[in-house]
Amino acid sequence: MFGGELPVGMFEAMSAEEWKGLFRMSAKQGVLAIVYEVVSQLPRDMQPPRQINLRWAVSVEAIENRYDLQRRTSALLAEMFAEQGLQTVVMKGLAMGTYYPEPRHREFGDLDCFLGEGYEQANQICEQLGAKVDRGYYKDAVIRYRGLLVENHRFFLPIRGSRQMKAFERYLEGIAVGSEVRYVDDTKLIIPSPLFNALFLTMHGVNHFVSEGIKLRHILDWALLLKAEQHNIDWKEFYAWADRMHLTRFANALTAISIERFGLKVEHPDIVAASPYAERILKDCLQSDTLFNKGYSAWKGRFVQIKNRITSSWRYHKIYQKSVVVEIIRSVWAFFFERNPQL
């Protein structure tokens, strides 16, 4: 993925239990198919026991098939939106997948999209197609269409109760589509500008980090973004916003991990390549149990997130450089007194 020789030595003399552990950890961290790219290239006598290898191969095939189905459905929706004059900007999964050597191996959970002023029009188009649309959350509508879960974003960010976040939201909306529009292959799905991806990925990652922890996949997304786009990002602009939004320590740590653990080569002189927090964040990443797909109700999920923020308050104080108590009070106030925020 980053060049260099296949790390054969680290797989020598692995026991069946160690292979099972690697399989479980890879699945938990959202990189099951990525790790199998390496495992499948190992010499035959060094590969996992047959039963584990078969299970791994079947799991990767399921990830690929799910990606193919969801991408086709996403492309179909974007095509229908385009017929009505709407631009479909995609974030996270599909956008990040374009940076992977094999996009189908970047697990695709749902379609996160932004249609700007066409937000409600897109909801109505989906309803006319027979889709179920849930508008219960201010930030995005959840659409279920042909087995695809769509998050149609009204806003990129959780802006409720924060002037600073609203200012950042306005900025991101302004740079989402670059001067040269790029698409996911031959679809109408628009890939955001490199600067947008860098800022949004960092902000999105911090939100996950402080409330539940992150997965290795978050860090790999960042590493591959830097590998492809480091010379296409205005880093002075990036760090100006990162400092303003308290994202700098997190971004620097992800970069340091990408260099030290993934072998990323950073050439741009404006990129900060070291961080005293890299090892602690990586350790936290490998040990955290995220809330994703836990099946919690909305209220249960909020309670668990608040609990996580308190019990892991170092994430706030050391990395996000904010007070966890102040942030909880702000979010509770916003929930009751600014239910439907406007920019």
Side-chain angles (χ1 to χ4, degrees), residues 91-318:
M91 308 96 75
K92 296 189 285 187
L94 262 184
M96 289 301 105
T98 61
Y99 295 118
Y100 282 66
E102 172 50 85
R104 300 164 79 215
H105 289 174
R106 201 288 183 183
E107 294 185 30
F108 181 0
D110 50 39
L111 173 65
D112 286 271
C113 61
F114 179 80
L115 293 102
E117 294 181 357
Y119 163 78
E120 183 52 30
Q121 186 180 351
N123 289 337
Q124 293 173 6
I125 291 171
C126 290
E127 286 178 325
Q128 292 167 6
L129 294 170
K132 181 180 178 181
V133 179
D134 181 357
R135 298 174 176 81
Y137 186 41
Y138 80 92
K139 189 165 73 73
D140 51 56
V142 177
I143 303 169
R144 299 180 187 276
Y145 177 68
R146 293 189 178 184
L148 176 69
L149 183 67
V150 181
E151 289 189 5
N152 178 21
H153 284 248
R154 182 182 170 206
F155 305 112
F156 289 119
L157 305 172
I159 65 170
R160 196 157 58 183
S162 173
R163 289 187 202 171
Q164 192 177 49
M165 201 69 83
K166 288 169 185 167
F168 194 27
E169 171 73 24
R170 286 190 289 270
Y171 177 75
L172 289 181
E173 289 187 16
I175 66 167
V177 180
S179 55
E180 181 181 341
V181 181
R182 302 182 303 159
Y183 296 93
V184 177
D185 300 326
D186 57 350
T187 72
K188 295 295 185 181
L189 298 161
I190 297 174
I191 302 169
S193 71
L195 178 57
F196 173 93
N197 274 336
L199 286 167
F200 178 77
L201 196 63
T202 309
M203 187 76 251
H204 177 71
V206 161
N207 285 335
H208 273 282
F209 179 67
V210 298
S211 63
E212 58 172 337
I214 57 172
K215 292 183 178 184
L216 207 56
R217 187 178 64 210
H218 288 93
I219 306 176
L220 189 56
D221 282 350
W222 179 254
L224 287 166
L225 174 66
L226 290 195
K227 182 186 179 199
E229 304 283 18
Q230 61 179 287
H231 295 294
N232 300 319
I233 294 171
D234 183 339
W235 289 104
K236 288 184 171 56
E237 183 79 354
F238 172 86
Y239 284 116
W241 273 103
D243 288 344
R244 182 175 174 182
M245 301 305 297
H246 304 266
L247 305 176
T248 303
R249 288 185 178 181
F250 185 72
N252 291 349
L254 295 194
T255 302
I257 295 169
S258 299
I259 294 169
E260 297 164 10
R261 300 295 181 145
F262 295 156
L264 172 70
K265 296 188 184 306
V266 168
E267 300 169 347
H268 198 290
D270 292 335
I271 297 176
V272 178
S275 167
Y277 306 103
E279 285 303 309
R280 186 169 186 182
I281 288 179
L282 179 60
K283 182 178 179 181
D284 183 82
C285 168
L286 297 175
Q287 293 178 345
S288 294
D289 188 17
T290 64
L291 302 179
F292 184 69
N293 278 343
K294 290 293 185 182
Y296 292 145
S297 67
W299 281 105
K300 172 77 172 186
R302 291 188 187 102
F303 173 78
V304 173
Q305 285 192 29
I306 290 173
K307 178 183 175 184
N308 286 348
R309 293 179 188 208
I310 293 172
T311 56
S312 299
S313 59
W314 71 270
R315 296 172 181 165
Y316 261 100
H317 301 151
K318 294 289 187 182

